Short mmCIF file of all heavy atoms in Angstrom, two decimals:
data_model
loop_
_atom_site.label_atom_id
_atom_site.label_comp_id
_atom_site.label_asym_id
_atom_site.label_seq_id
_atom_site.Cartn_x
_atom_site.Cartn_y
_atom_site.Cartn_z
N TRP I 1 0.51 -24.58 -4.72
CA TRP I 1 0.76 -25.94 -5.20
C TRP I 1 1.92 -26.56 -4.43
O TRP I 1 2.65 -25.87 -3.74
CB TRP I 1 1.04 -25.95 -6.71
CG TRP I 1 2.32 -25.31 -7.11
CD1 TRP I 1 3.51 -25.94 -7.38
CD2 TRP I 1 2.57 -23.90 -7.32
NE1 TRP I 1 4.48 -25.01 -7.74
CE2 TRP I 1 3.93 -23.77 -7.71
CE3 TRP I 1 1.78 -22.74 -7.21
CZ2 TRP I 1 4.51 -22.53 -7.99
CZ3 TRP I 1 2.36 -21.51 -7.48
CH2 TRP I 1 3.71 -21.42 -7.86
N ARG I 2 2.05 -27.87 -4.56
CA ARG I 2 3.10 -28.62 -3.87
C ARG I 2 3.99 -29.35 -4.85
O ARG I 2 3.52 -29.88 -5.85
CB ARG I 2 2.48 -29.64 -2.92
CG ARG I 2 1.85 -28.97 -1.72
CD ARG I 2 1.74 -29.91 -0.54
NE ARG I 2 1.25 -29.14 0.60
CZ ARG I 2 0.86 -29.67 1.74
NH1 ARG I 2 0.91 -30.97 1.93
NH2 ARG I 2 0.42 -28.89 2.72
N GLU I 3 5.28 -29.36 -4.52
CA GLU I 3 6.26 -30.16 -5.27
C GLU I 3 7.14 -30.83 -4.23
O GLU I 3 7.98 -30.17 -3.61
CB GLU I 3 7.12 -29.27 -6.17
CG GLU I 3 6.35 -28.51 -7.23
CD GLU I 3 7.18 -27.38 -7.83
OE1 GLU I 3 7.34 -26.35 -7.15
OE2 GLU I 3 7.67 -27.55 -8.95
N GLY I 4 6.93 -32.12 -4.02
CA GLY I 4 7.70 -32.82 -2.99
C GLY I 4 7.48 -32.15 -1.65
O GLY I 4 6.35 -31.90 -1.25
N PRO I 5 8.58 -31.83 -0.92
CA PRO I 5 8.43 -31.22 0.40
C PRO I 5 8.08 -29.73 0.33
O PRO I 5 7.78 -29.11 1.35
CB PRO I 5 9.81 -31.41 1.04
CG PRO I 5 10.76 -31.43 -0.11
CD PRO I 5 10.01 -32.07 -1.26
N TRP I 6 8.12 -29.16 -0.85
CA TRP I 6 7.91 -27.71 -0.98
C TRP I 6 6.46 -27.37 -1.23
O TRP I 6 5.77 -28.02 -2.01
CB TRP I 6 8.73 -27.16 -2.15
CG TRP I 6 10.20 -27.15 -1.90
CD1 TRP I 6 11.10 -28.12 -2.25
CD2 TRP I 6 10.93 -26.14 -1.24
NE1 TRP I 6 12.36 -27.75 -1.83
CE2 TRP I 6 12.29 -26.55 -1.21
CE3 TRP I 6 10.59 -24.91 -0.65
CZ2 TRP I 6 13.29 -25.77 -0.63
CZ3 TRP I 6 11.60 -24.14 -0.07
CH2 TRP I 6 12.93 -24.59 -0.06
N THR I 7 5.99 -26.34 -0.56
CA THR I 7 4.70 -25.72 -0.88
C THR I 7 4.99 -24.33 -1.42
O THR I 7 5.79 -23.59 -0.83
CB THR I 7 3.80 -25.60 0.37
OG1 THR I 7 3.61 -26.90 0.92
CG2 THR I 7 2.45 -25.01 0.02
N SER I 8 4.39 -23.98 -2.56
CA SER I 8 4.60 -22.68 -3.18
C SER I 8 3.28 -21.93 -3.27
O SER I 8 2.22 -22.53 -3.39
CB SER I 8 5.16 -22.84 -4.60
OG SER I 8 6.42 -23.48 -4.56
N SER I 9 3.38 -20.62 -3.21
CA SER I 9 2.20 -19.78 -3.36
C SER I 9 2.55 -18.59 -4.24
O SER I 9 3.62 -18.00 -4.10
CB SER I 9 1.70 -19.28 -2.00
OG SER I 9 0.62 -18.40 -2.18
N LEU I 10 1.65 -18.29 -5.16
CA LEU I 10 1.80 -17.13 -6.02
C LEU I 10 0.60 -16.24 -5.77
O LEU I 10 -0.55 -16.65 -5.99
CB LEU I 10 1.85 -17.59 -7.48
CG LEU I 10 2.01 -16.49 -8.53
CD1 LEU I 10 3.36 -15.81 -8.39
CD2 LEU I 10 1.87 -17.10 -9.92
N LEU I 11 0.85 -15.04 -5.27
CA LEU I 11 -0.23 -14.09 -5.00
C LEU I 11 -0.20 -13.02 -6.08
O LEU I 11 0.82 -12.34 -6.25
CB LEU I 11 -0.04 -13.44 -3.62
CG LEU I 11 -1.14 -12.45 -3.21
CD1 LEU I 11 -2.44 -13.16 -2.93
CD2 LEU I 11 -0.71 -11.63 -2.00
N THR I 12 -1.30 -12.88 -6.79
CA THR I 12 -1.41 -11.85 -7.82
C THR I 12 -2.27 -10.71 -7.28
O THR I 12 -3.38 -10.94 -6.80
CB THR I 12 -2.04 -12.42 -9.10
OG1 THR I 12 -1.25 -13.52 -9.54
CG2 THR I 12 -2.07 -11.37 -10.20
N VAL I 13 -1.73 -9.50 -7.34
CA VAL I 13 -2.45 -8.30 -6.92
C VAL I 13 -2.87 -7.57 -8.19
O VAL I 13 -2.01 -7.25 -9.02
CB VAL I 13 -1.55 -7.39 -6.06
CG1 VAL I 13 -2.33 -6.16 -5.57
CG2 VAL I 13 -0.97 -8.15 -4.88
N VAL I 14 -4.16 -7.34 -8.34
CA VAL I 14 -4.64 -6.71 -9.57
C VAL I 14 -5.03 -5.26 -9.31
O VAL I 14 -5.13 -4.81 -8.18
CB VAL I 14 -5.84 -7.49 -10.17
CG1 VAL I 14 -5.42 -8.92 -10.48
CG2 VAL I 14 -7.03 -7.48 -9.24
N ASN I 15 -5.23 -4.54 -10.42
CA ASN I 15 -5.71 -3.16 -10.37
C ASN I 15 -4.74 -2.24 -9.63
O ASN I 15 -5.14 -1.45 -8.78
CB ASN I 15 -7.09 -3.11 -9.70
CG ASN I 15 -7.93 -2.00 -10.29
OD1 ASN I 15 -7.41 -1.14 -10.99
ND2 ASN I 15 -9.22 -2.01 -10.01
N ILE I 16 -3.47 -2.33 -9.99
CA ILE I 16 -2.43 -1.49 -9.37
C ILE I 16 -2.68 -0.01 -9.63
O ILE I 16 -2.30 0.85 -8.84
CB ILE I 16 -1.04 -1.89 -9.91
CG1 ILE I 16 -0.74 -3.35 -9.57
CG2 ILE I 16 0.04 -0.97 -9.38
CD1 ILE I 16 -0.46 -3.63 -8.12
N THR I 17 -3.36 0.32 -10.73
CA THR I 17 -3.60 1.72 -11.06
C THR I 17 -4.31 2.45 -9.93
O THR I 17 -4.02 3.61 -9.64
CB THR I 17 -4.46 1.83 -12.33
OG1 THR I 17 -3.83 1.06 -13.35
CG2 THR I 17 -4.55 3.26 -12.80
N LEU I 18 -5.25 1.76 -9.27
CA LEU I 18 -5.96 2.37 -8.14
C LEU I 18 -4.99 2.81 -7.06
O LEU I 18 -5.09 3.92 -6.53
CB LEU I 18 -6.93 1.34 -7.53
CG LEU I 18 -8.29 1.19 -8.17
CD1 LEU I 18 -9.09 0.15 -7.40
CD2 LEU I 18 -9.01 2.53 -8.15
N ASP I 19 -4.07 1.92 -6.72
CA ASP I 19 -3.08 2.26 -5.68
C ASP I 19 -2.20 3.41 -6.12
O ASP I 19 -1.91 4.31 -5.34
CB ASP I 19 -2.20 1.04 -5.38
CG ASP I 19 -2.98 -0.05 -4.67
OD1 ASP I 19 -3.36 0.19 -3.52
OD2 ASP I 19 -3.19 -1.10 -5.28
N ARG I 20 -1.79 3.35 -7.36
CA ARG I 20 -0.91 4.40 -7.87
C ARG I 20 -1.59 5.76 -7.73
O ARG I 20 -1.00 6.72 -7.26
CB ARG I 20 -0.62 4.11 -9.35
CG ARG I 20 0.82 4.26 -9.69
CD ARG I 20 1.08 4.01 -11.16
NE ARG I 20 2.05 2.95 -11.30
CZ ARG I 20 1.78 1.76 -11.80
NH1 ARG I 20 0.58 1.47 -12.23
NH2 ARG I 20 2.74 0.86 -11.89
N ALA I 21 -2.86 5.81 -8.14
CA ALA I 21 -3.60 7.08 -8.07
C ALA I 21 -3.78 7.52 -6.63
O ALA I 21 -3.63 8.70 -6.31
CB ALA I 21 -4.96 6.92 -8.76
N ARG I 22 -4.11 6.57 -5.74
CA ARG I 22 -4.33 6.94 -4.35
C ARG I 22 -3.04 7.45 -3.70
O ARG I 22 -3.05 8.43 -2.98
CB ARG I 22 -4.86 5.72 -3.57
CG ARG I 22 -5.41 6.06 -2.21
CD ARG I 22 -5.68 4.81 -1.41
NE ARG I 22 -4.43 4.15 -1.07
CZ ARG I 22 -4.20 2.85 -1.22
NH1 ARG I 22 -5.12 2.07 -1.69
NH2 ARG I 22 -3.04 2.33 -0.89
N LEU I 23 -1.94 6.76 -3.98
CA LEU I 23 -0.67 7.19 -3.39
C LEU I 23 -0.27 8.56 -3.91
O LEU I 23 0.21 9.40 -3.15
CB LEU I 23 0.43 6.17 -3.72
CG LEU I 23 0.29 4.84 -2.98
CD1 LEU I 23 1.26 3.82 -3.56
CD2 LEU I 23 0.56 5.02 -1.50
N ARG I 24 -0.48 8.78 -5.19
CA ARG I 24 -0.14 10.08 -5.76
C ARG I 24 -0.96 11.17 -5.09
O ARG I 24 -0.46 12.23 -4.74
CB ARG I 24 -0.41 10.03 -7.27
CG ARG I 24 0.35 11.06 -8.06
CD ARG I 24 0.25 10.77 -9.54
NE ARG I 24 1.15 9.69 -9.95
CZ ARG I 24 0.79 8.68 -10.75
NH1 ARG I 24 -0.44 8.59 -11.19
NH2 ARG I 24 1.67 7.76 -11.08
N HIS I 25 -2.24 10.88 -4.87
CA HIS I 25 -3.13 11.84 -4.23
C HIS I 25 -2.66 12.13 -2.80
O HIS I 25 -2.54 13.28 -2.40
CB HIS I 25 -4.55 11.28 -4.22
CG HIS I 25 -5.53 12.18 -3.53
ND1 HIS I 25 -6.11 13.25 -4.16
CD2 HIS I 25 -6.02 12.17 -2.26
CE1 HIS I 25 -6.92 13.87 -3.31
NE2 HIS I 25 -6.89 13.23 -2.15
N GLN I 26 -2.37 11.10 -2.03
CA GLN I 26 -1.92 11.30 -0.65
C GLN I 26 -0.62 12.09 -0.62
O GLN I 26 -0.44 13.00 0.18
CB GLN I 26 -1.68 9.94 0.03
CG GLN I 26 -2.96 9.22 0.40
CD GLN I 26 -2.69 7.83 0.94
OE1 GLN I 26 -1.55 7.37 0.92
NE2 GLN I 26 -3.71 7.18 1.41
N TYR I 27 0.26 11.72 -1.52
CA TYR I 27 1.59 12.33 -1.52
C TYR I 27 1.50 13.82 -1.83
O TYR I 27 2.13 14.63 -1.21
CB TYR I 27 2.45 11.61 -2.55
CG TYR I 27 3.84 12.16 -2.68
CD1 TYR I 27 4.77 11.99 -1.66
CD2 TYR I 27 4.23 12.84 -3.83
CE1 TYR I 27 6.05 12.48 -1.78
CE2 TYR I 27 5.52 13.32 -3.96
CZ TYR I 27 6.43 13.14 -2.94
OH TYR I 27 7.70 13.62 -3.07
N HIS I 28 0.68 14.17 -2.80
CA HIS I 28 0.63 15.56 -3.23
C HIS I 28 -0.29 16.44 -2.40
O HIS I 28 -0.07 17.63 -2.30
CB HIS I 28 0.20 15.64 -4.70
CG HIS I 28 1.26 15.16 -5.64
ND1 HIS I 28 2.53 15.68 -5.66
CD2 HIS I 28 1.24 14.19 -6.59
CE1 HIS I 28 3.25 15.06 -6.57
NE2 HIS I 28 2.49 14.14 -7.15
N HIS I 29 -1.34 15.85 -1.82
CA HIS I 29 -2.38 16.69 -1.25
C HIS I 29 -2.43 16.72 0.27
O HIS I 29 -3.18 17.49 0.83
CB HIS I 29 -3.75 16.26 -1.79
CG HIS I 29 -3.86 16.44 -3.27
ND1 HIS I 29 -4.02 17.67 -3.87
CD2 HIS I 29 -3.80 15.54 -4.27
CE1 HIS I 29 -4.06 17.52 -5.17
NE2 HIS I 29 -3.93 16.24 -5.45
N LEU I 30 -1.69 15.86 0.92
CA LEU I 30 -1.76 15.87 2.38
C LEU I 30 -0.51 16.49 2.98
O LEU I 30 0.60 16.22 2.54
CB LEU I 30 -1.91 14.44 2.92
CG LEU I 30 -3.28 13.81 2.71
CD1 LEU I 30 -3.23 12.35 3.13
CD2 LEU I 30 -4.34 14.53 3.51
N ASN I 31 -0.75 17.33 3.96
CA ASN I 31 0.38 17.86 4.72
C ASN I 31 1.00 16.72 5.52
O ASN I 31 0.30 15.98 6.20
CB ASN I 31 -0.14 18.96 5.64
CG ASN I 31 0.91 19.41 6.64
OD1 ASN I 31 1.17 18.72 7.62
ND2 ASN I 31 1.48 20.55 6.38
N TRP I 32 2.31 16.57 5.45
CA TRP I 32 2.96 15.39 6.05
C TRP I 32 2.74 15.30 7.56
O TRP I 32 2.45 14.25 8.08
CB TRP I 32 4.44 15.40 5.71
CG TRP I 32 5.27 14.42 6.48
CD1 TRP I 32 6.43 14.67 7.13
CD2 TRP I 32 5.05 13.00 6.65
NE1 TRP I 32 6.93 13.52 7.69
CE2 TRP I 32 6.10 12.49 7.42
CE3 TRP I 32 4.04 12.13 6.23
CZ2 TRP I 32 6.18 11.14 7.79
CZ3 TRP I 32 4.12 10.79 6.60
CH2 TRP I 32 5.19 10.31 7.36
N ASP I 33 2.81 16.42 8.27
CA ASP I 33 2.65 16.35 9.73
C ASP I 33 1.25 15.90 10.11
O ASP I 33 1.07 15.05 10.97
CB ASP I 33 2.94 17.71 10.36
CG ASP I 33 4.43 17.98 10.41
OD1 ASP I 33 5.19 17.03 10.66
OD2 ASP I 33 4.83 19.13 10.18
N GLN I 34 0.26 16.46 9.44
CA GLN I 34 -1.13 16.05 9.70
C GLN I 34 -1.29 14.58 9.37
O GLN I 34 -1.90 13.81 10.09
CB GLN I 34 -2.08 16.84 8.82
CG GLN I 34 -2.35 18.23 9.30
CD GLN I 34 -3.34 18.92 8.37
OE1 GLN I 34 -3.58 18.46 7.26
NE2 GLN I 34 -3.88 20.03 8.81
N TYR I 35 -0.75 14.20 8.24
CA TYR I 35 -0.87 12.81 7.78
C TYR I 35 -0.28 11.86 8.81
O TYR I 35 -0.89 10.88 9.19
CB TYR I 35 -0.11 12.68 6.46
CG TYR I 35 -0.16 11.31 5.87
CD1 TYR I 35 -1.19 10.93 5.03
CD2 TYR I 35 0.85 10.38 6.14
CE1 TYR I 35 -1.24 9.67 4.49
CE2 TYR I 35 0.80 9.12 5.60
CZ TYR I 35 -0.25 8.76 4.78
OH TYR I 35 -0.29 7.51 4.24
N LYS I 36 0.91 12.22 9.28
CA LYS I 36 1.60 11.33 10.22
C LYS I 36 0.79 11.16 11.50
O LYS I 36 0.62 10.06 12.00
CB LYS I 36 2.99 11.90 10.52
CG LYS I 36 3.86 10.95 11.32
CD LYS I 36 5.31 11.38 11.27
CE LYS I 36 5.52 12.76 11.85
NZ LYS I 36 6.94 13.12 11.93
N ASN I 37 0.27 12.29 12.01
CA ASN I 37 -0.44 12.22 13.28
C ASN I 37 -1.81 11.56 13.15
O ASN I 37 -2.23 10.79 13.99
CB ASN I 37 -0.60 13.62 13.87
CG ASN I 37 0.74 14.18 14.27
OD1 ASN I 37 1.65 13.43 14.60
ND2 ASN I 37 0.88 15.50 14.21
N ARG I 38 -2.50 11.86 12.06
CA ARG I 38 -3.86 11.39 11.93
C ARG I 38 -3.90 9.91 11.53
O ARG I 38 -4.81 9.18 11.89
CB ARG I 38 -4.60 12.22 10.89
CG ARG I 38 -6.10 11.98 10.94
CD ARG I 38 -6.88 12.81 9.94
NE ARG I 38 -6.15 13.94 9.42
CZ ARG I 38 -6.15 14.27 8.15
NH1 ARG I 38 -6.79 13.54 7.27
NH2 ARG I 38 -5.50 15.32 7.75
N HIS I 39 -2.92 9.47 10.77
CA HIS I 39 -3.03 8.15 10.17
C HIS I 39 -1.97 7.17 10.64
O HIS I 39 -1.88 6.08 10.11
CB HIS I 39 -2.94 8.26 8.64
CG HIS I 39 -4.11 8.95 8.04
ND1 HIS I 39 -5.37 8.41 8.06
CD2 HIS I 39 -4.21 10.13 7.39
CE1 HIS I 39 -6.20 9.24 7.44
NE2 HIS I 39 -5.53 10.29 7.04
N ARG I 40 -1.19 7.55 11.63
CA ARG I 40 -0.07 6.68 12.01
C ARG I 40 -0.53 5.25 12.26
O ARG I 40 0.04 4.30 11.78
CB ARG I 40 0.64 7.24 13.23
CG ARG I 40 1.85 6.40 13.62
CD ARG I 40 2.44 6.86 14.91
NE ARG I 40 3.00 8.19 14.80
CZ ARG I 40 2.76 9.17 15.66
NH1 ARG I 40 1.95 8.98 16.67
NH2 ARG I 40 3.32 10.34 15.50
N HIS I 41 -1.64 5.10 13.03
CA HIS I 41 -2.07 3.76 13.41
C HIS I 41 -2.56 2.96 12.21
O HIS I 41 -2.47 1.75 12.18
CB HIS I 41 -3.16 3.85 14.46
CG HIS I 41 -4.38 4.59 13.99
ND1 HIS I 41 -4.39 5.96 13.87
CD2 HIS I 41 -5.60 4.16 13.59
CE1 HIS I 41 -5.58 6.35 13.42
NE2 HIS I 41 -6.33 5.27 13.24
N GLN I 42 -3.10 3.64 11.19
CA GLN I 42 -3.63 2.91 10.04
C GLN I 42 -2.51 2.38 9.16
O GLN I 42 -2.69 1.40 8.45
CB GLN I 42 -4.49 3.84 9.20
CG GLN I 42 -5.90 3.99 9.71
CD GLN I 42 -6.65 4.95 8.82
OE1 GLN I 42 -6.39 6.14 8.83
NE2 GLN I 42 -7.57 4.44 8.03
N TYR I 43 -1.40 3.05 9.14
CA TYR I 43 -0.36 2.72 8.17
C TYR I 43 0.92 2.26 8.84
O TYR I 43 2.00 2.52 8.37
CB TYR I 43 -0.07 3.93 7.28
CG TYR I 43 -1.24 4.25 6.39
CD1 TYR I 43 -2.05 5.33 6.65
CD2 TYR I 43 -1.56 3.42 5.32
CE1 TYR I 43 -3.15 5.61 5.85
CE2 TYR I 43 -2.65 3.69 4.53
CZ TYR I 43 -3.44 4.79 4.79
OH TYR I 43 -4.52 5.05 4.00
#
């Protein structure tokens, strides 16, 4: 929306539980060295 010269944006991210579960899984189940080498470009 706009107010005078200002433009504002509100971004809502839903379904945070999915991310929480995925991060927990990555954190607990992946060896860090493998993770770093295999996924560096993705993350």
Side-chain angles (χ1 to χ4, degrees):
W1 68 98
R2 288 203 174 170
E3 299 164 285
W6 290 94
T7 302
S8 298
S9 176
L10 180 65
L11 181 70
T12 303
V13 182
V14 301
N15 213 346
I16 299 288
T17 307
L18 276 181
D19 290 293
R20 226 182 237 113
R22 192 190 68 227
L23 288 170
R24 202 169 282 135
H25 177 82
Q26 285 175 353
Y27 179 70
H28 288 305
H29 297 285
L30 287 173
N31 170 283
W32 168 229
D33 284 322
Q34 282 181 345
Y35 180 87
K36 188 165 61 174
N37 293 332
R38 193 179 341 136
H39 292 293
R40 183 187 294 131
H41 60 285
Q42 277 179 289
Y43 292 106

